[in-house]
């Protein structure tokens, strides 16, 4: 008898108990078998006719079902193939053949066997009614499958020309109906009732699925927008993590948001930054705009909105620090001590803007650092030299690629506190171009009433700069625009005297350079006379920068001797070996003219590097009244020469000068060192005196210098830079200096050593100069 033929009598077969699985006739299925009894039943079937009863158990959680734990009806199947057989179990493929009813469970161990009776079926041709219900059921199943996505693609082709029972079995086998309902269909032996039962089950399931779909649709429509956004963003976060994308805008936005919430920011700043975080969340991965927003938020969070350093104002400590770092500068130090004393007494005395004006190398920049240390403030320096774009000060707007905060906010960020000391270096070197006027941008920053709400174009939020102590430096105060200059308290730093340079070199520069070059104190000594010669003949400056370079050269020369000679002991720099070490003197001091000469006068000039002695020569020759001016004179100085000539001409008769000299003689006025431009009105008195001397043939004292602007009537007007000019006179061995009477109060600013060695004579009229300078 063929193994696939259904027997007509009762038979005994091995039983395979299935959990949650119902197998129908005319179906091929494969599944795993793990329980030992089931594996034994399979092996027994393979040893006989490969026939086995597939019986579903009532409770899927029952590991060892008995007779009562199994359904009465099952499917006899033929084992087609053992796909795998391991210690963990067996995977088989079976072909369902026909229904069978269990008459009796014969044994439970070592595997289950049962006596079964095949269920009878009748072959027949389906009627039109049955064909209609078949088609209706197929349609229901297709609709059902759309909801549960379970219909095989070849479903329609496989049920053509099948009877009701076969169609019901095939649909049930390929559906995801619960196994108890599938078991009901298996136990229904009448084909027409079986398909009706399936149709009712599908209708019930379809109704439930439609209700579920409607509930889901309504729930989605009614879902709160924030919850929906949260779910979507969580999904995006998971996707980003799976892809290994570390720079997820969502995660970064959440981290930045937490950072914003944890900071004590002003309400306006917090509101705007949180809004930027919301923008960042919506940005796609790798977006350029996302990186711009991220950088902006990071920059804003790095600003010290709520961070301040404690002012430790101790006047004794401040004096000690200033004296330690700087020699001299008594007026400057006293000014800063006054400011600190006021700040100690009043909290409202904040935000002073101080301008240090003086020639290069006199310690303007370094004194700012010392003040920061003395007050316990953080220090930041901003170089303004050559800035021509106002965006460098106010920041670039975020619409531009590569935009960034301005230098002021960058300095505040660098300091890390909202009350640092910011040094604005070289404020007189600000430029101007079509990009804007940087000096105008500083008006708001250096105004104590306006900088409480300073808006940087990049930050675009108000930041309080009123607690910042601004110190500016400049070489030439005349180059600072008036409105800007008016906002600052000016402190002038003059040139160093020879004695000050000597002390600075001995107490600061030499120890500093020896340490920098690795020279021990015992290995280098600079003789005092050699140091005096070094200052006079190798440097010519208001400050000490070139002096420090020359000292550094001495240290390097010493270093060579130390390295080359293992027995090196000590190098003593004297006036004899100074030229050997540094080469010939650069500025040989000209011997002071011991003779009083006609038409040669000592004028005084102010330059950005300090004062200078300005000799002026006048020659009178027979001629036709020509006036010649040489020496690279500026327009103002030429006008001053004309005023001096006219002044002498108006006084000619009473001074015993030929009133017709202007038509009988040619007059040549010359300022030596013609390559150096010269300008200004302060040489008027000197030129009038030289002209007077040349016309009267009377010599001028060689140890007298003068400065002052002259009028046509001989009045002497005040000048500027008296401190620097008097210093130049002192350096050049001048014994008497004639100054305008209105400049007498300025003598208080002149260095004490200068006043001790020079006699100052005030003058209201040019007569005073002639009386004191002309040798009678």
């Amino acid at each position: 008898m063929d193994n696939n033929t259904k027997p007509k009598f009762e038979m005994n077969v091995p039983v395979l108990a299935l959990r949650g699985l119902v197998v129908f006739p005319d179906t091929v299925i494969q599944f795993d078998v793990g329980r030992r009894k089931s594996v034994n039943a399979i092996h027994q079937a393979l040893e006989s006719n490969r026939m086995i009863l597939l019986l579903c158990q009532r409770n899927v959680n029952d590991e060892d079902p008995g007779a009562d734990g199994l359904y009465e009806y099952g499917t006899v199947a033929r084992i087609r193939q053992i796909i795998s057989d391991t210690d963990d179990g067996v995977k088989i493929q079976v072909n369902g053949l026909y229904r069978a009813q269990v008459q009796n469970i014969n044994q439970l161990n070592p595997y289950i066997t049962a006596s079964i009776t095949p269920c009878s079926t009748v072959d027949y041709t389906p009627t039109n009614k049955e064909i209609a219900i078949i088609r209706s059921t197929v349609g229901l199943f297709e609709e059902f499958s759309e909801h549960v996505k379970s219909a095989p693609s070849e479903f329609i082709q496989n049920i053509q020309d099948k009877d009701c029972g076969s169609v019901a079995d095939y649909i049930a086998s390929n559906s995801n109906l619960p196994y108890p309902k599938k078991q009901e269909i298996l136990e229904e032996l009448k084909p027409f009732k079986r398909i009706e039962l399936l149709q009712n089950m599908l209708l019930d399931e379809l109704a439930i699925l439609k209700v579920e779909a409607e509930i889901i649709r309504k729930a989605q429509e009614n879902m709160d927008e924030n919850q929906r956004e949260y779910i979507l963003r969580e999904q995006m976060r998971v996707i980003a993590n799976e892809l290994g994308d570390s720079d997820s805008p969502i995660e970064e936005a959440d981290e930045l948001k937490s950072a914003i919430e944890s900071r004590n920011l002003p309400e306006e700043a917090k509101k705007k930054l949180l809004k930027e975080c919301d923008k960042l969340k919506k940005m796609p991965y790798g977006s350029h705009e996302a990186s711009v927003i991220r950088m902006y938020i990071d920059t804003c969070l790095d600003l010290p909105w709520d961070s301040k350093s404690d002012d430790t104002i101790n006047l004794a400590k401040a004096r000690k620090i200033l004296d330690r770092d700087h020699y001299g500068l008594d007026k400057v130090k006293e000014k800063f001590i006054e400011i600190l004393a006021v700040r100690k007494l009043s909290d409202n005395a904040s935000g002073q803007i101080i301008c240090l004006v003086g020639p290069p190398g006199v310690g303007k920049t370094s004194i700012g650092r010392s003040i920061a240390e003395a007050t316990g403030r953080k220090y930041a320096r901003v170089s303004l030299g050559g800035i021509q774009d106002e965006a460098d000060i106010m920041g670039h707007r975020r619409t531009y690629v590569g935009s960034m905060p301005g230098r002021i906010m960058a300095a505040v960020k660098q300091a890390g506190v909202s009350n640092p000391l910011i040094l604005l270096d070289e404020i007189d070197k600000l430029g101007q171009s079509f990009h804007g006027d940087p000096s105008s941008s500083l008006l708001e920053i250096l105004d104590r009433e306006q900088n409480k709400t300073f808006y940087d174009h990049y930050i675009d939020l108000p930041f309080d700069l009123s607690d910042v102590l601004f110190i500016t430096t400049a070489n030439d105060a005349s180059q600072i625009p008036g409105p800007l200059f008016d906002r600052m308290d000016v402190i002038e730093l003059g040139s160093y005297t020879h004695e000050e340079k000597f002390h600075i070199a001995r107490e600061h520069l030499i120890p500093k350079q020896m340490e920098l070059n690795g020279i021990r104190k015992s290995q280098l000594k600079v003789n005092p006379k050699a140091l005096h010669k070094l200052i006079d003949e190798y440097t010519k400056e208001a400050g000490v920068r070139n002096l420090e370079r020359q000292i550094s050269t001495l240290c390097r020369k010493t270093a060579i001797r130390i390295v080359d000679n293992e027995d090196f002991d000590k190098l003593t720099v004297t006036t004899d070996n100074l030229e050997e070490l540094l080469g010939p003197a650069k500025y040989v001091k000209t011997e002071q003219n011991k003779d009083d000469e006609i038409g040669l006068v000592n004028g005084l000039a102010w330059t950005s590097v300090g004062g200078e002695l300005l000799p002026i020569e006048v020659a009178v020759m027979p001629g036709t009244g020509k006036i010649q001016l040489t020496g690279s004179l500026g327009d103002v100085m030429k006008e001053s020469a004309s005023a001096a000539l006219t002044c002498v001409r108006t006084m000619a008769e009473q001074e015993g000068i030929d009133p017709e000299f202007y038509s009988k003689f040619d007059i040549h006025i010359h300022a030596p060192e013609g390559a150096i431009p010269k300008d200004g009105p302060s040489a008027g008195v000197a030129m009038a005196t030289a002209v007077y001397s040349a016309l009267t043939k009377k010599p001028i004292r060689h140890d007298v210098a003068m400065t002052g602007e002259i009028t046509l009537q001989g009045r002497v007007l005040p000048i500027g830079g008296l401190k620097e000019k008097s210093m130049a006179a002192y350096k050049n061995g001048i014994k008497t200096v004639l100054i305008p009477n209105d400049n007498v109060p300025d003598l208080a600013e002149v260095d004490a050593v200068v006043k001790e060695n020079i006699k100052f004579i005030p003058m209201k009229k040019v007569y005073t100069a002639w009386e004191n300078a002309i040798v009678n």
Side-chain angles (χ1 to χ4, degrees):
M1 182 178 67
D2 187 357
N3 288 337
N4 293 332
T5 302
K6 179 171 62 175
K8 303 294 185 180
F9 51 84
E10 183 177 307
M11 59 185 294
N12 187 44
V13 294
V15 176
L16 181 57
L18 303 177
R19 288 190 283 193
L21 178 64
V22 177
V23 179
F24 288 87
D26 297 325
T27 59
V28 177
I29 188 171
Q30 64 184 25
F31 50 85
D32 294 317
V33 179
R35 289 183 287 193
R36 179 48 50 191
K37 283 186 179 182
S38 300
V39 173
N40 292 338
I42 292 171
H43 289 160
Q44 177 61 31
L46 290 173
E47 291 175 1
S48 56
N49 56 2
R50 305 177 75 90
M51 305 296 286
I52 193 168
L53 177 65
L54 304 179
L55 207 58
C56 184
Q57 64 186 58
R58 299 178 185 275
N59 184 0
V60 295
N61 296 320
D62 192 350
E63 287 293 330
D64 187 16
D68 296 335
L70 300 172
Y71 283 107
E72 184 181 353
Y73 287 86
T75 300
V76 176
R78 181 175 180 274
I79 300 175
R80 296 182 63 180
Q81 183 182 1
I82 300 296
I83 298 175
S84 65
D85 188 354
T86 65
D87 294 339
D88 295 330
V90 178
K91 186 171 185 178
I92 63 173
Q93 186 183 68
V94 299
N95 181 15
L97 301 177
Y98 53 85
R99 287 174 170 78
Q101 181 180 9
V102 175
Q103 300 299 327
N104 184 50
I105 297 296
N106 297 328
Q107 72 175 46
L108 294 175
N109 290 301
Y111 55 88
I112 303 174
T113 62
S115 298
I116 61 170
T117 301
C119 299
S120 60
T121 57
V122 179
D123 295 331
Y124 72 100
T125 302
T127 63
N128 291 336
K129 182 178 180 182
E130 290 176 342
I131 293 173
I133 197 169
I134 289 173
R135 291 178 179 176
S136 174
T137 304
V138 171
L140 283 173
F141 182 67
E142 288 180 342
E143 186 178 355
F144 174 80
S145 299
E146 289 179 1
H147 288 277
V148 296
K149 310 294 186 214
S150 65
S153 59
E154 68 279 4
F155 175 77
I156 299 298
Q157 291 79 7
N158 290 341
I159 61 173
Q160 299 293 333
D161 303 325
K162 288 184 178 289
D163 60 72
C164 293
S166 299
V167 170
D169 290 347
Y170 192 78
I171 290 176
S173 177
N174 288 280
S175 71
N176 63 345
L177 290 171
Y179 75 91
K181 291 190 175 183
K182 288 185 178 183
Q183 184 66 31
E184 286 186 47
I185 295 171
L186 182 67
E187 293 179 0
E188 180 54 61
L189 302 181
K190 295 180 179 180
F192 188 74
K193 287 188 176 181
R194 190 186 308 158
I195 200 166
E196 280 187 330
L197 177 61
L198 175 62
Q199 189 178 51
N200 291 333
M201 288 181 180
L202 290 177
L203 286 171
D204 292 342
E205 289 293 327
L206 192 57
I208 293 171
L209 290 173
K210 286 182 178 181
V211 171
E212 289 179 352
E214 182 67 17
I215 292 172
I216 293 173
R217 185 184 65 81
K218 288 182 177 180
Q220 288 176 340
E221 289 179 355
N222 296 331
M223 184 182 295
D224 182 79
E225 184 63 27
N226 292 334
Q227 184 180 0
R228 176 176 174 273
E229 183 178 341
Y230 172 78
I231 294 173
L232 293 175
R233 296 200 182 283
E234 285 297 317
Q235 291 175 343
M236 291 176 66
R237 195 194 310 276
V238 172
I239 293 171
N241 290 335
E242 290 295 326
L243 293 174
D245 194 345
S246 59
D247 57 346
S248 167
I250 300 172
E251 289 188 2
E252 289 183 338
D254 289 341
E255 291 175 3
L256 291 172
K257 188 173 182 180
S258 299
I260 294 169
E261 294 289 355
S262 64
R263 292 286 301 277
N264 185 23
L265 301 178
E267 191 61 33
E268 182 177 350
K270 181 179 289 187
K271 184 177 179 181
K272 180 165 185 175
L273 294 181
L274 289 176
K275 187 177 180 181
E276 293 294 328
C277 284
D278 293 337
K279 284 185 188 177
L280 180 60
K281 280 186 177 181
K282 299 173 183 177
M283 294 293 168
Y285 299 104
S287 167
H288 172 71
E289 183 66 20
S291 65
V292 172
I293 294 176
R294 187 186 310 116
M295 184 180 296
Y296 170 73
I297 297 175
D298 285 337
T299 302
C300 291
L301 288 177
D302 287 341
L303 292 176
W305 299 92
D306 54 350
S307 177
K308 285 188 178 183
S309 59
D310 296 329
D311 281 352
T312 55
I313 299 177
N314 185 319
L315 298 186
K317 177 184 176 183
R319 287 191 182 96
K320 184 177 180 180
I321 292 174
L322 292 175
D323 290 338
R324 179 198 68 192
D325 296 341
H326 299 83
Y327 180 85
L329 303 178
D330 294 332
K331 297 290 184 182
V332 179
K333 294 176 182 177
E334 190 62 29
K335 181 69 174 179
F336 277 111
I337 294 298
E338 291 171 5
I339 293 172
L340 296 180
V342 173
R343 290 184 59 83
K344 181 78 172 179
L345 297 176
S346 174
D347 294 335
N348 296 325
S350 61
Q352 292 99 329
I353 291 91
I354 300 162
C355 182
L356 302 177
V357 178
V362 296
K364 299 184 299 296
T365 302
S366 60
I367 202 169
R369 187 179 293 105
S370 299
I371 293 298
E373 182 182 352
T375 57
R377 288 178 177 241
K378 299 290 186 179
Y379 172 80
R381 175 179 169 272
V382 178
S383 178
L384 301 179
I387 292 180
Q388 295 183 333
D389 189 351
E390 61 93 20
D392 284 340
I393 304 294
M394 301 295 290
H396 300 77
R397 301 187 188 277
R398 283 195 291 151
T399 53
Y400 299 105
V401 176
S403 57
M404 62 183 69
R407 298 198 180 193
I408 301 300
M409 295 308 296
V412 173
K413 177 183 172 184
Q414 173 193 341
V417 291
S418 61
N419 62 336
L421 185 149
I422 296 181
L423 181 76
L424 304 179
D425 213 3
E426 310 292 355
I427 197 172
D428 58 327
K429 308 296 191 302
L430 285 171
Q432 189 173 354
S433 69
F434 63 92
H435 292 294
D437 184 4
S439 62
S440 299
S441 302
L442 288 173
L443 293 177
E444 177 187 358
I445 297 169
L446 299 182
D447 191 319
R448 281 173 280 181
E449 299 301 322
Q450 298 181 39
N451 62 15
K452 293 179 181 178
T453 55
F454 171 65
Y455 271 86
D456 182 274
H457 290 164
Y458 180 82
I459 304 298
D460 199 25
L461 289 168
F463 193 92
D464 187 2
L465 295 177
S466 62
D467 290 331
V468 177
L469 177 59
F470 286 103
I471 296 179
T472 66
T473 70
N475 298 130
D476 186 0
S478 65
Q479 298 298 317
I480 304 175
L484 186 60
F485 188 76
D486 185 57
R487 283 165 165 77
M488 300 183 288
D489 297 330
V490 178
I491 302 176
E492 294 189 0
L493 286 77
S495 304
Y496 287 123
T497 63
H498 179 95
E499 284 74 13
E500 286 177 331
K501 289 183 179 180
F502 179 82
H503 286 287
I504 291 171
R506 187 177 63 181
E507 298 172 15
H508 296 279
L509 302 183
I510 293 177
K512 174 184 174 183
Q513 287 301 322
M514 289 177 65
E515 182 180 355
L516 289 176
N517 289 277
I519 309 296
R520 295 196 299 272
K521 291 182 179 180
S522 60
Q523 293 175 322
L524 175 63
K525 180 182 179 183
V526 181
N527 189 285
K529 290 184 178 180
L531 186 55
H532 282 296
K533 184 177 180 180
L534 176 63
I535 295 169
D536 288 334
E537 299 183 12
Y538 288 85
T539 64
K540 187 179 182 181
E541 58 180 341
V544 291
R545 284 180 182 165
N546 286 328
L547 178 59
E548 184 173 9
R549 292 190 188 100
Q550 296 297 338
I551 293 171
S552 177
T553 302
L554 291 176
C555 291
R556 291 195 295 271
K557 298 288 186 183
T558 306
I560 293 175
R561 285 165 168 74
I562 295 173
V563 174
D564 287 344
N565 186 2
E566 295 181 357
D567 299 327
F568 178 84
D569 181 35
K570 183 178 184 180
L571 173 64
T572 301
V573 180
T574 65
T575 55
D576 297 329
N577 64 2
L578 188 61
E579 185 171 341
E580 176 190 346
L581 294 169
L582 297 180
K586 298 179 181 179
Y587 307 100
V588 178
K589 189 173 182 181
T590 305
E591 288 294 328
Q592 182 68 32
N593 188 12
K594 303 297 183 182
D595 300 325
D596 301 331
E597 297 187 13
I598 296 172
L600 176 60
V601 66
N602 293 317
L604 294 172
W606 179 92
T607 69
S608 61
V609 295
E612 291 287 344
L613 195 67
L614 179 64
I616 296 175
E617 299 175 344
V618 174
V620 176
M621 301 152 289
T624 58
K626 292 180 180 179
I627 305 298
Q628 189 172 4
L629 305 173
T630 58
S632 189
L633 307 184
D635 292 338
V636 176
M637 198 165 183
K638 289 178 180 179
E639 291 177 356
S640 183
S642 299
L645 284 169
T646 302
C647 175
V648 173
R649 184 178 171 184
T650 59
M651 301 178 181
E653 188 171 353
Q654 67 188 59
E655 293 295 330
I657 300 172
D658 185 358
E660 302 297 326
F661 77 87
Y662 64 90
S663 59
K664 296 179 180 179
F665 300 99
D666 291 340
I667 299 176
H668 186 169
I669 301 176
H670 176 68
E673 298 185 12
I676 301 175
K678 309 168 190 71
D679 204 358
S682 64
V685 171
M687 286 189 283
T689 302
V691 171
Y692 175 86
S693 170
L695 290 173
T696 60
K697 305 300 181 182
K698 296 178 181 179
I700 303 173
R701 288 173 54 188
H702 67 278
D703 60 349
V704 173
M706 59 191 70
T707 181
E709 180 180 353
I710 195 170
T711 68
L712 299 180
Q713 297 178 353
R715 290 186 294 111
V716 181
L717 302 182
I719 46 81
L722 180 61
K723 181 180 179 181
E724 289 78 10
K725 292 177 180 178
S726 62
M727 179 62 67
Y730 166 73
K731 290 178 180 178
N732 286 275
I734 300 297
K735 301 300 181 184
T736 303
V737 174
L738 296 158
I739 64 172
N741 187 72
D742 291 342
N743 283 113
V744 171
D746 296 333
L747 290 175
E749 302 296 328
V750 175
D751 291 276
V753 66
V754 175
K755 288 190 283 189
E756 289 174 3
N757 290 274
I758 291 180
K759 178 183 179 182
F760 289 93
I761 300 176
M763 51 184 175
K764 294 182 179 180
K765 290 274 190 174
V766 72
Y767 299 119
T768 307
W770 296 346
E771 291 171 357
N772 290 277
I774 300 297
V775 179
N776 293 314

